[in-house]
Amino acid sequence: MPMRITTTLTTTTINGTEEITQTFQGTLQQQGALTLLTYDDPELGATRIFITEDRVRIVRKGAFTTQMVLLPNATTHSPYHTPSGTFDLGIHTTHLHYSPTNNTLTAHYTLYLNDEEVAQNELGVKWAENGGR
């Protein structure tokens, strides 16, 4: 189903805080308890967000390829492939909330590259049918 997907990422690093809001045209698929959002990000490539009640998996394929797994109160690791090489991407999730009735997802997590903290992130995702609010 065609969707308008809006992401808001607030990132805090040693250089300060930055908020980036972007809107994409994408699709939504429901497969039982799984919600799948798919869209193309011009900077980060093809993006798929797999959402269930207790975990989120974000898969990106492009110049930067990674799989981010967000599990509440847990740390996950995956390879992060960049033009500069491959790094260990660690994600410690402190908050994860999915509301299927409001079509929203909120996640708070800390990013680590090769075990070094690089950012505190707050991610918000909301989606609506094209033409909807």
Side-chain angles (χ1 to χ4, degrees), residues 11-18 117-120:
T11 300
T12 302
T13 66
I14 57 171
N15 298 322
T17 300
E18 180 180 18
E117 182 178 324
V118 291
Q120 298 272 339

Side-chain angles (χ1 to χ4, degrees), residues 37-114:
L37 295 170
T38 304
Y39 61 90
D40 283 322
D41 183 317
E43 290 179 26
L44 300 173
T47 302
R48 294 185 315 223
I49 304 175
F50 299 83
I51 307 167
T52 60
E53 189 176 313
D54 61 349
R55 83 165 40 203
V56 172
R57 189 164 55 101
I58 302 171
V59 178
R60 291 204 167 102
K61 292 188 177 168
F64 298 87
T65 301
T66 190
Q67 172 174 267
M68 299 170 57
V69 178
L70 306 175
L71 285 171
N73 303 309
T75 302
T76 61
H77 292 269
S78 62
Y80 181 49
H81 303 283
T82 76
S84 305
T86 299
F87 304 92
D88 174 63
L89 179 66
I91 300 164
H92 180 76
T93 306
T94 55
H95 171 82
L96 189 63
H97 180 74
Y98 165 50
S99 174
T101 53
N102 294 325
N103 294 342
T104 60
L105 168 70
T106 307
H108 299 184
Y109 56 93
T110 303
L111 282 181
Y112 300 87
L113 279 182
N114 295 335

